Amino acid sequence: MFALANKIAIVTGASSGIGRATAKLFAEEGAKVVVAARRQAELDALVAEIEEADGTAIALAGDVTKEACAKALVDLAIERFGGLDIAFNNVGAVGPMGPISDLSLKGWRETLDTNLTSAFLGAKYQVPAMVERGGGSLIFTSTFVGHTVGMPGMTSYAASKAGLIGLTQVLAAEYGPKGVRVNALVPGGTDTPSATFKTPESRAFVENLHALKRVAEPEEIARAALFLASDASSFTTGSALFADGGISITRT
Ligand code: NAP
């Protein structure tokens, strides 16, 4: 049910954290995976790991805020593997934090580009390729920030990630009739290189926000992405799936 045999997937933000763990899991489950991020060496190391475990992956280094990169990823999936079934648009960055009066327009625009425009560009090329196959699964990595929790100082991150929920709902309605499912994944705090909780004090603070009183390992979020990618979620579309350790419902 969760197997991805004969499926072809794109995973962005695959050089690190949640994307890396998800690319490995998708490959373990049998998908052929196009992995994307800007750092070539990290992607090469990931492809080597996947191949060592008898999986199949190919890397394309590039900036997913650029339209040419979004198109090239889909072209590569089609040319190398024959089509596209799954796209995990997972690239994201917190961007500049602080009171709104201190934030620059440049920082705002860069954060929206990284988190939201990249998703628009990805979907623009991924959806037609999926329709061509008779359907597929499109996934965007959102967050609790700006969806269920207001976190002071995270203006552009929250706005961009909340935008992904709207994008998810529209695309799910627009392409459901063509068999394309579209969902947002809503992780809680996850222990990755870009996590904002770097000191013992900030980590304890963030852990305590969750009902489970801990943060996630990237592999735990990858398993939620696998659910959305696989036929196990065949009737799930337009949703925001929480894999958030209960941060959205905790008040203590
Ligand atoms: P991460 O380890 O920093 O991974 C971010 C990935 O995005 C990296 O692979 C980075 O690779 C890539 N990336 C960034 N900008 C890019 C660009 N312009 N073009 C191509 N690749 C780009 O972060 P993570 O924690 O795994 O985050 C993954 C997603 O989960 C993000 O969308 C994040 O907002 C979301 N999320 C994270 C948490 C958390 O607590 N960690 C919680 C909720 C949601 P390169 O540097 O090589 O380009």
Side-chain angles (χ1 to χ4, degrees):
M1 184 68 71
F2 289 84
L4 300 181
N6 303 317
K7 301 280 189 190
I8 300 154
I10 290 172
V11 176
T12 75
S15 62
S16 158
I18 292 167
R20 190 178 207 282
T22 304
K24 285 184 70 175
L25 184 58
F26 283 7
E28 267 171 39
E29 292 298 331
K32 299 182 177 77
V33 189
V34 176
V35 294
R38 292 164 300 188
R39 287 170 294 169
Q40 181 82 57
E42 277 75 2
L43 292 179
D44 289 344
L46 171 62
V47 169
E49 263 181 55
I50 288 173
E51 286 177 347
E52 257 170 51
D54 292 329
T56 305
I58 185 167
L60 183 61
D63 180 346
V64 296
T65 67
K66 308 288 183 227
E67 187 157 2
C69 179
K71 180 176 185 307
L73 285 168
V74 175
D75 287 347
L76 184 61
I78 294 169
E79 279 159 24
R80 196 57 73 94
F81 299 137
L84 183 66
D85 304 296
I86 297 157
F88 184 41
N89 292 296
N90 165 72
V91 158
V94 170
M97 290 172 60
I100 193 163
S101 51
D102 292 355
L103 297 179
S104 68
L105 179 59
K106 183 171 175 285
W108 164 269
R109 283 188 171 144
E110 282 172 3
T111 308
L112 262 76
D113 269 2
T114 302
N115 295 342
L116 187 55
T117 306
S118 66
F120 157 72
L121 290 173
K124 175 177 167 168
Y125 291 97
Q126 293 155 5
V127 165
M130 289 180 186
V131 169
E132 185 76 18
R133 301 269 281 182
S137 173
L138 196 62
I139 306 158
F140 302 109
T141 307
S142 184
T143 172
F144 57 92
V145 181
H147 183 49
T148 56
V149 181
M151 297 287 271
M154 304 188 87
T155 311
S156 45
Y157 185 62
S160 60
K161 291 292 189 173
L164 290 176
I165 306 288
L167 185 65
T168 295
Q169 292 179 359
V170 170
L171 293 180
E174 203 170 320
Y175 290 99
K178 304 271 186 198
V180 179
R181 295 185 297 106
V182 187
N183 292 286
L185 177 56
V186 181
T190 308
D191 197 358
T192 69
S194 72
T196 50
F197 39 91
K198 291 296 178 210
T199 64
E201 294 75 23
S202 61
R203 186 174 174 117
F205 172 78
V206 171
E207 284 178 342
N208 192 52
L209 295 173
H210 296 74
L212 295 177
K213 301 301 171 197
R214 65 177 181 85
V215 294
E217 293 302 320
E219 290 73 17
E220 296 182 277
I221 309 303
R223 290 198 291 273
L226 174 62
F227 168 70
L228 291 175
S230 72
D231 291 343
S233 62
S234 56
F235 204 58
T236 303
T237 196
S239 79
L241 179 74
F242 293 1
D244 75 349
I247 196 167
S248 297
I249 50 85
T250 304
R251 294 289 180 276
T252 57

